[in-house]
Amino acid sequence: MTGADTNPKVDTDTDTDVDTDIHTDFDIDAYLDRIGAERPKRPDYEALCHLQERHLMTVPFETLSFAEREIPNMTDEFVYDKIVRRHRGGGCGELNAGFALLLRSLGFRVGALGGRVLHNGHAPFRGVHNGHVLLRVELERSYLVDVGFRWASRRPLRLTERGVQKDEHGEYRLVHTPEGDVEMFHDGVLRWRVEPHPRDLDDFETVMWYFATSPDVHSAGQLWASVVTETGRVSLFNRVLTHHGAGGKESRVLATDDEFKAEFEKWFGIALSSVPDLPESTHGI
């Protein structure tokens, strides 16, 4: 574990280098329909909260592409087609790239950040550098927004807040390390570390290729999926489906392909023609 909440070196200037281009080549109303959201009157905090919550509840985190060894990317054209036209979800890079496209098109000032996941749901581990992507949105203050992480907050996190930030998904705390990075603790667990300066989306292309092709990736050939519900969250790890709610969590193994396909479509909105060849698992996330 690194860092303490002392001498933070985080740039909170709202003139930071974020993308403010308004993209008009995409049907943004179709994107809003996809997540069940109304077009906001202005790009403000209330609108950001609404859009983030709707995205988390309608567009699942899912790694079907990686499980099938396909190579996705984070271009506007790719993520719009995958999320809006094909009604798929995606990994953190695809989902946050898509959400960034939506936010920019609605007038928000947003940039992508690169980080490293430090817990896999079962135990601490050292993820790939730039293996996690999230967003920094500039309003009256700086916020961190993430629609592509299984333990993401339902609402934006205030970047310079030193105390606990609570929402329906638990207690969050951002710790600013002496090196200038930001670490996120969720319910006391260190989940990720990010560098707070914006990056270009093509900075992550090699990482996407690595996740999709390398046999050395810890998650190679495995399937993860997660979506927020009104009462909590539903997650899948290979064939283990887990419901998270106020009463705790309950997991069960989807033993047959027919059961797997039915539950996957029910919770994640994706109809599968076949089930990937997945490793055997008994514990959910």
Side-chain angles (χ1 to χ4, degrees):
M1 187 180 300
T2 64
D5 224 1
T6 58
N7 299 320
K9 299 178 182 179
V10 176
D11 177 15
T12 58
D13 184 355
T14 55
D15 289 330
T16 193
D17 184 19
V18 295
D19 192 344
T20 58
D21 291 342
I22 304 298
H23 293 247
T24 58
D25 295 336
F26 302 93
D27 185 350
I28 296 306
D29 287 325
Y31 202 135
L32 292 169
D33 288 343
R34 167 73 173 92
I35 65 173
E38 296 182 359
R39 179 181 284 267
K41 295 180 179 179
R42 60 188 66 85
D44 57 16
Y45 175 75
E46 289 73 21
L48 181 61
C49 289
H50 174 64
L51 294 169
Q52 179 176 348
E53 182 176 57
R54 293 307 309 158
H55 209 286
L56 286 166
M57 297 183 73
T58 55
V59 185
F61 173 88
E62 49 95 349
T63 62
L64 273 171
S65 294
F66 291 143
E68 296 173 346
R69 314 307 272 174
E70 298 174 352
I71 303 176
N73 67 62
M74 295 165 59
T75 62
D76 290 346
E77 293 79 6
F78 182 90
V79 296
Y80 182 89
D81 179 69
K82 187 172 185 179
I83 294 172
V84 180
R85 297 193 183 101
R86 295 163 54 198
H87 277 240
R88 281 280 304 276
C92 65
E94 299 161 282
L95 298 187
N96 281 309
F99 196 47
L101 168 63
L102 175 64
L103 293 178
R104 289 194 308 268
S105 300
L106 295 171
F108 287 91
R109 303 176 63 240
V110 56
L113 307 184
R116 186 193 300 271
V117 175
L118 298 173
H119 200 283
N120 65 7
H122 297 137
F125 87 121
R126 188 172 183 269
V128 176
H129 177 62
N130 277 347
H132 186 51
V133 183
L134 63 153
L135 304 177
R136 176 172 174 169
V137 179
E138 304 295 345
L139 295 169
E140 77 289 347
R141 62 198 303 175
S142 299
Y143 293 93
L144 296 185
V145 175
D146 194 346
V147 296
F149 191 61
R150 294 177 296 283
W151 300 277
S153 60
R154 190 173 292 205
R155 297 184 184 83
L157 295 176
R158 299 180 295 278
L159 179 57
T160 58
E161 176 65 51
R162 295 296 182 270
V164 172
Q165 303 182 54
K166 297 182 180 181
D167 74 5
E168 292 89 339
H169 294 173
E171 295 186 347
Y172 295 83
R173 186 165 63 92
L174 299 178
V175 174
H176 300 267
T177 73
E179 297 79 19
D181 295 336
V182 179
E183 296 178 337
M184 188 274 278
F185 289 78
H186 169 237
D187 289 341
V189 177
L190 176 58
R191 296 293 185 183
W192 50 245
R193 181 186 303 121
V194 300
E195 299 172 342
H197 57 275
R199 295 184 176 275
D200 294 329
L201 290 179
D202 57 13
D203 290 344
F204 302 98
E205 287 182 358
T206 54
V207 178
M208 299 284 277
W209 176 87
Y210 174 73
F211 274 128
T213 62
S214 174
D216 298 325
V217 177
H218 76 282
S219 57
Q222 301 191 98
L223 176 60
W224 307 70
S226 182
V227 70
V228 172
T229 66
E230 293 288 351
T231 57
R233 180 183 296 274
V234 175
S235 295
L236 182 80
F237 177 56
N238 293 327
R239 285 184 175 268
V240 183
L241 186 71
T242 302
H243 293 261
H244 299 261
K249 70 177 185 179
E250 181 178 347
S251 299
R252 64 187 178 95
V253 176
L254 306 178
T256 69
D257 285 0
D258 286 344
E259 183 182 25
F260 186 99
K261 289 188 286 187
E263 293 293 323
F264 202 83
E265 183 172 7
K266 175 182 178 181
W267 293 109
F268 308 114
I270 301 169
L272 299 175
S273 57
S274 62
V275 177
D277 184 16
L278 301 171
E280 183 176 347
S281 301
T282 58
H283 295 90
I285 55 169

